Amino acid sequence: MINFCKRLFPVVAVFLSQSFALTFYVSPSGQDTNPGTKAQPFESVHKAAEAVAAAPKTESISVYLRGGVHYLDSTLVLTPRHNGTPAAHVTFTSHPGETAIIHGGTRITGWRRVAAAPPGAPAAASGKLWEADIDTGWLFHALVVDSAEQRRAMEPDHDIWKNFSGGQEAWPQLESWMSESPIGQYIVLPGGYLSSPPTDGCLEINVAPIDWKNDPSVLREVDTTLNSGIRHSKNIITGFRSVGAPFRIENIISALDTAGEWCVDSGIGKVYYWPPDDTMGGKEVDAPRLYTLVRLQGDETTEEWVRHIEFDKITFAFADRMPADIWPDEWTKRNFENPGAAVYMQGVDSCAVKNCRVIHAGAYAVALDHHVQHVTIEGNELAWCGSGGVQMYGYGPGTKDEQKYNSVIRNHIHHVGLVHWHGCAVSLFQSGHNIISHNYMHDLPYCGVSIVGTSYETINQGPGAGAVDSYGNGGAMHKIRWNELPAQVFTRGNVLPYLHSRNNVIEKNIVADCMLKLADGGAYYTWSCGAYNEFKDNLTHYTTMPLDTRRSYAVYMDDNVDSTLLQSNISWAETHDVISIKHKGDNEWINHLDSTARSPLYDSIQNLILTEVNASGGWTGEITDASLVPIHRGLNTPARPLFSILGISSVSRSHMIVQLALPRKHRSIEIGLYDLRGRIVGMKKIDGLQSGIHRLDLELAAEIAAKTCILQIKSGKTCRNMRFIPL
């Protein structure tokens, strides 16, 4: 375990290796009537959990899962009955030298070539489709063939929902989008998209009404003559745009026009698939049934928490996502995505998920909800998820501050947000005093690490504030605890005691290729959160161009973010001129750098990160990024710069203040401000500056018209450029 965790979370040390005195064994070839020994193992993980609950907790308990696939017929729910103790932990783990897979799906067999093309099937699919019978009513959102997830039939068949930079044609737009109502939202599409729809409830429409969110909604009551339907979704996506929203139709037979695609009609119990090699012989096909594989559930009423349970070296695979029209009302939908998870924790203390793989999850890989403290998520691979990697949601704004002291360390998080694009690698809302460190996060549709809260303006609007779902219901976005808030007008300052995403440390992370599908975000992002968060020694690099290069930032301190420390966060891009920072608040910026080439400072920090990661066991999963090859320059710590930029603030659009830290005396310092065309906006030269911290005023010749500017600072042969967004 990485030693730096101990400075804030000494309780994490309870998960150091220990000898297990009581063991149970589970094997796919076992029997639940067996005693659960190595020679006579249980068949199901559920039976092993019953044995754990019944066992005395005077000694540690280990449940060994033998190699192979362990199919679940229901979610494994662990409650305080299963608790370990500080001296006697409960651990579920793969048998040494074997890989156990906890699987939330079902094998689909009985494939046959389609004799007569289904109504609406495209001509290109004639003679190419295969079908299988499934249980009527089984609606799933993923199909896995030989361990590879296949693409669902959809039109248009691409993700370029908006054309920011030319090239590929974007999604079509709705012709009409009516107001939300208790029965849903009536919409009208252009012609040609709703021919031969499946059974009511199977069709989805993916809408993207604004640049930073999308929603795969259920489309019911389809009228093929009027090209209309009723959009059903409990996601809080609407309230921003009434007409012209880009859309895509998903899971419809008329779009099954390419090899590798599939669709399902649960009403008639059929699934259709076009195999690329024109045969289903020998193929293993699975589809998910469960929304959650494992749930650790404490009792929030009696405050009895699940404690001292650990998962180690297990693969969790194939959880589905819940359709948006049946999401529970108690869910907080702060980030516009499905907040479910394959591994879900609520009412939990001192538990861990370590060295596991959580893959092909329909929503998040891991979710921490409400009261969760001293939980460790370490050394895992979290990948191919419909929403994000790790979600950390406390209680809504109020006095109940009970999600804190958790750690997300050394995880490999990639290819998440496959369905809900706003899903981030790590998302925090009302969660504080956590450590997010040494994670490698890549191929992300939106942000790497996101810390958000609730604006004081939203609270001042009263109950129902925020976006609404398709039924007109508000309040689910923030879940504000109105009975705990004083009767007062809130301001940027006096709201902070009720915003609990505070005192988080985000350090030594690497984000590669983010903002690939949405705009107005960044690798490290905050919005209206609590105070005293720290972002230190984090790296960002791009080998793939973001969807919108103008609004994709390395570090983005959005509305109402103050008292944040940002130090030595370095970025570079092969593909475009990266904008290092955007800020709108009173924060401390120290030593930031962006460029179109790797800098020695970037390499130095990366070498340090890789050294510490490898010393603790490395990242789980295959790492193919060539840019992670260490660049050995004989540096074990970041090089000491000739000067550091402590902060930039705009007094007005004609007056700026730059704060510099100088480790030694400088003969002269030259400060220039340029627009993106290279035109000088302001220039100042100062001679004979002594070592120390200096506050330099820069009067501009004219008001800044550009949204993005370049600050250039020169000292001798050293020159540093920084892009930023002025007030």
Side-chain angles (χ1 to χ4, degrees):
M1 177 163 290
I2 299 173
N3 290 330
F4 58 77
C5 297
K6 297 179 181 177
R7 67 184 181 193
L8 291 181
F9 311 128
V11 71
V12 173
V14 302
F15 292 113
L16 293 174
S17 61
Q18 53 190 302
S19 60
F20 296 98
L22 179 61
T23 58
F24 296 106
Y25 292 83
V26 183
S27 172
S29 61
Q31 297 290 331
D32 281 348
T33 55
N34 287 342
T37 62
K38 188 172 185 178
Q40 295 179 291
F42 297 131
E43 178 186 10
S44 70
V45 184
H46 290 83
K47 182 64 177 180
E50 291 178 13
V52 168
K57 304 306 190 299
T58 56
E59 53 190 0
S60 296
I61 300 174
S62 179
V63 178
Y64 286 114
L65 278 61
R66 302 306 301 260
V69 179
H70 298 255
Y71 286 98
L72 298 180
D73 55 10
S74 62
T75 299
L76 176 65
V77 180
L78 303 179
T79 68
R81 295 190 310 117
H82 303 90
N83 280 359
T85 69
H89 311 143
V90 174
T91 301
F92 292 79
T93 183
S94 290
H95 190 277
E98 300 176 8
T99 300
I101 301 172
I102 293 181
H103 198 298
T106 298
R107 180 65 47 85
I108 299 177
T109 59
W111 290 92
R112 58 192 177 273
R113 192 182 295 274
V114 174
S126 179
K128 305 291 186 181
L129 299 184
W130 291 64
E131 66 180 4
D133 297 325
I134 60 171
D135 295 338
T136 302
W138 180 22
L139 178 62
F140 50 85
H141 300 85
L143 190 74
V144 179
V145 179
D146 292 337
S147 300
E149 193 165 335
Q150 306 299 296
R151 188 168 179 85
R152 194 163 64 152
M154 56 188 69
E155 181 62 35
D157 191 14
H158 61 80
D159 294 339
I160 308 300
W161 62 275
K162 184 175 181 179
N163 195 334
F164 286 96
S165 57
Q168 187 170 357
E169 183 178 354
W171 288 2
Q173 297 183 351
L174 295 176
E175 291 190 351
S176 178
W177 176 316
M178 306 301 288
S179 297
E180 306 83 8
S181 75
I183 63 170
Q185 189 171 43
Y186 180 79
I187 58 176
V188 178
L189 286 65
Y193 289 94
L194 295 177
S195 61
S196 302
T199 303
D200 198 46
C202 297
L203 188 64
E204 286 191 325
I205 181 168
N206 195 342
V207 291
I210 201 165
D211 290 353
W212 57 85
K213 63 174 73 174
N214 75 305
D215 181 38
S217 308
V218 178
L219 189 62
R220 296 181 179 272
E221 296 90 46
V222 172
D223 188 321
T224 58
T225 302
L226 298 176
N227 300 310
S228 65
I230 307 294
R231 190 182 74 88
H232 293 260
S233 176
K234 290 190 176 182
N235 199 356
I236 43 82
I237 192 172
T238 54
F240 291 95
R241 180 183 293 174
S242 58
V243 295
F247 75 90
R248 177 172 68 190
I249 292 295
E250 303 187 5
N251 193 44
I252 190 168
I253 192 71
S254 60
L256 209 167
D257 56 4
T258 304
E261 294 183 340
W262 66 277
C263 66
V264 62
D265 191 327
S266 64
I268 62 175
K270 297 282 188 184
V271 56
Y272 302 98
Y273 176 59
W274 180 345
D277 59 357
D278 199 37
T279 181
M280 294 301 291
K283 289 185 170 61
E284 295 182 345
V285 182
D286 294 289
R289 279 190 183 270
L290 303 180
Y291 302 131
T292 301
L293 305 185
V294 176
R295 185 179 184 105
L296 277 62
Q297 183 62 62
D299 191 322
E300 294 185 275
T301 302
T302 62
E303 297 189 350
E304 294 180 87
W305 312 128
V306 177
R307 300 178 187 270
H308 306 295
I309 296 177
E310 178 178 356
F311 294 93
D312 184 34
K313 301 181 181 68
I314 294 174
T315 295
F316 299 91
F318 306 117
D320 205 356
R321 60 180 171 91
M322 188 180 294
D325 59 337
I326 61 171
W327 289 5
D329 291 334
E330 59 268 22
W331 272 2
T332 302
K333 298 118 182 180
R334 174 59 185 82
N335 279 335
F336 323 113
E337 78 270 347
N338 188 321
V343 179
Y344 200 93
M345 301 186 191
Q346 185 182 77
V348 176
D349 197 320
S350 303
C351 292
V353 178
K354 298 169 56 180
N355 309 309
C356 293
R357 299 181 73 217
V358 187
I359 58 175
H360 299 294
Y364 271 87
V366 180
L368 314 184
D369 189 45
H370 289 178
H371 179 106
V372 179
Q373 297 182 14
H374 308 109
V375 162
T376 300
I377 311 298
E378 181 179 2
N380 307 287
E381 180 181 20
L382 313 175
W384 302 291
C385 299
S387 292
V390 180
Q391 175 184 272
M392 307 170 73
Y393 278 13
Y395 295 95
T399 59
K400 200 174 183 67
D401 177 16
E402 296 190 9
Q403 185 169 130
K404 49 192 172 183
Y405 311 130
N406 304 298
S407 54
V408 180
I409 300 172
R410 197 172 46 81
N411 298 286
H412 179 200
I413 307 174
H414 61 96
H415 295 94
V416 298
L418 300 181
V419 177
H420 291 275
W421 298 337
H422 197 282
C424 303
V426 182
S427 295
L428 285 77
F429 170 65
Q430 293 290 94
S431 182
H433 302 271
N434 305 297
I435 284 212
I436 316 296
S437 73
H438 293 77
N439 300 289
Y440 174 42
M441 302 166 276
H442 62 91
D443 291 281
L444 309 172
Y446 194 51
C447 303
V449 178
S450 169
I451 305 178
V452 298
T454 303
S455 69
Y456 69 92
E457 298 97 332
T458 298
I459 298 177
N460 286 335
Q461 292 173 20
V468 299
D469 61 23
S470 69
Y471 309 106
N473 300 316
M477 181 174 181
H478 301 280
K479 290 289 185 179
I480 298 170
R481 303 172 67 84
W482 296 103
N483 62 317
E484 297 174 4
L485 297 179
Q488 66 181 38
V489 176
F490 286 93
T491 65
R492 187 165 176 152
N494 67 19
V495 75
L496 289 176
Y498 310 101
L499 303 181
H500 306 309
S501 289
R502 63 170 78 94
N503 295 99
N504 294 291
V505 176
I506 298 88
E507 64 179 354
K508 298 179 181 176
N509 299 284
I510 299 176
V511 171
D513 293 337
C514 63
M515 301 301 299
L516 299 181
K517 292 184 180 178
L518 295 177
D520 198 25
Y524 307 95
Y525 176 83
T526 62
W527 186 91
S528 295
C529 56
Y532 307 116
N533 295 302
E534 298 182 5
F535 293 79
K536 300 183 297 184
D537 296 326
N538 297 292
L539 304 180
T540 307
H541 75 264
Y542 294 89
T543 59
T544 301
M545 186 175 295
L547 181 67
D548 181 9
T549 57
R550 301 167 302 166
R551 292 183 297 161
S552 298
Y553 311 99
V555 181
Y556 188 177
M557 301 292 104
D558 208 340
D559 297 337
N560 304 318
V561 177
D562 298 310
S563 302
T564 301
L565 171 65
L566 303 111
Q567 180 174 342
S568 298
N569 300 296
I570 313 300
S571 60
W572 69 282
E574 300 175 15
T575 55
H576 64 291
D577 291 332
V578 63
I579 302 177
S580 176
I581 63 172
K582 180 174 181 179
H583 66 100
K584 302 180 181 181
D586 183 10
N587 302 295
E588 185 177 8
W589 299 82
I590 302 174
N591 202 32
H592 287 262
L593 177 67
D594 65 80
S595 66
T596 55
R598 291 173 65 142
S599 67
L601 183 57
Y602 184 101
D603 292 333
S604 178
I605 294 176
Q606 178 175 284
N607 286 348
L608 180 61
I609 293 173
L610 294 178
T611 298
E612 293 178 348
V613 166
N614 291 331
S616 301
W619 285 308
T620 300
E622 184 180 3
I623 307 294
T624 60
D625 189 346
S627 68
L628 286 181
V629 176
I631 305 298
H632 296 289
R633 301 180 184 274
L635 299 174
N636 293 319
T637 57
R640 188 185 189 192
L642 291 177
F643 54 81
S644 299
I645 303 173
L646 296 183
I648 308 170
S649 58
S650 305
V651 177
S652 68
R653 286 194 170 268
S654 60
H655 182 193
M656 298 191 62
I657 297 174
V658 179
Q659 286 186 297
L660 292 180
L662 306 180
R664 61 172 177 78
K665 179 180 178 180
H666 283 248
R667 181 175 299 176
S668 66
I669 290 280
E670 186 177 285
I671 302 175
L673 188 67
Y674 301 82
D675 63 19
L676 290 183
R677 295 184 179 180
R679 295 176 297 195
I680 297 176
V681 180
M683 182 70 69
K684 187 171 187 176
K685 184 177 181 181
I686 307 101
D687 296 323
L689 284 175
Q690 300 295 320
S691 62
I693 296 178
H694 298 268
R695 183 179 184 273
L696 307 177
D697 290 277
L698 184 62
E699 295 288 347
L700 309 182
E703 288 195 357
I704 304 173
K707 292 184 177 180
T708 304
C709 294
I710 298 175
L711 179 71
Q712 184 179 88
I713 300 179
K714 292 182 179 180
S715 176
K717 296 182 179 180
T718 300
C719 177
R720 178 164 297 165
N721 295 331
M722 177 183 290
R723 290 185 175 224
F724 71 100
I725 308 295
L727 291 174

